[in-house]
């Protein structure tokens, strides 16, 4: 029989610790081609063409958008991968992360 069913009093459980999650943010600029941004989103964030278009247009109109929410390690890797693809093509695209 489980302890909870037999004990007169059960110690309150301490709150479960969840690891902090990080938003990966994409920033607008006037120079990076729309097709390049869509390509990056499809390639690195496993988005469909329609999803990638939607996020890209949100960034284009609003200046910034959340691309996804990940663990610290995965978010860091995604940001580095976006920045590396942009650098290689000499686009000024900026990607950053922020604790949720
Ligand atoms: N504003 C860019 C243009 O008009 C397109 C763009 C969208 C750039 C999203 C960056 O994160 C970005 N070509």
């Amino acid at each position: 029989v489980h302890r909870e069913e037999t004990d007169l009093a059960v110690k309150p459980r301490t709150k479960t610790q969840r690891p902090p999650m990080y938003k990966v943010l994409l920033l607008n600029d006037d120079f990076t081609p729309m097709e390049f941004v869509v390509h990056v989103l499809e390639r690195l964030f496993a988005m469909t063409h329609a999803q990638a278009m939607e996020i890209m247009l949100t960034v284009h109109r609003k200046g910034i958008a959340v691309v996804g929410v990940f663990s610290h390690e995965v978010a860091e890797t995604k940001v580095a991968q976006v920045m590396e693809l942009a650098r290689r093509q000499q686009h000024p695209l900026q990607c950053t992360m922020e604790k949720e």
Side-chain angles (χ1 to χ4, degrees), residues 26-30 32-34 37 56 59-60 93:
L26 201 58
L27 279 70
N28 190 36
D29 66 72
D30 293 338
T32 305
M34 290 185 172
V37 178
M56 182 281 292
V59 177
H60 178 70
L93 182 63

Side-chain angles (χ1 to χ4, degrees), residues 1-3 7 13-14 19 22 26-27 30 32 34-35 37-39 43-44 50 54 64 68 72 81 85 87 96:
V1 91
H2 292 122
R3 187 175 57 81
D7 282 3
R13 289 189 178 86
T14 53
Y22 292 80
L26 201 58
L27 279 70
D30 293 338
T32 305
M34 290 185 172
E35 317 82 71
V37 178
V38 169
H39 166 78
R43 171 119 180 243
L44 299 179
E54 198 178 308
I64 193 165
H72 188 271
Q81 288 172 334
L85 284 184
R87 190 198 62 76
T96 186

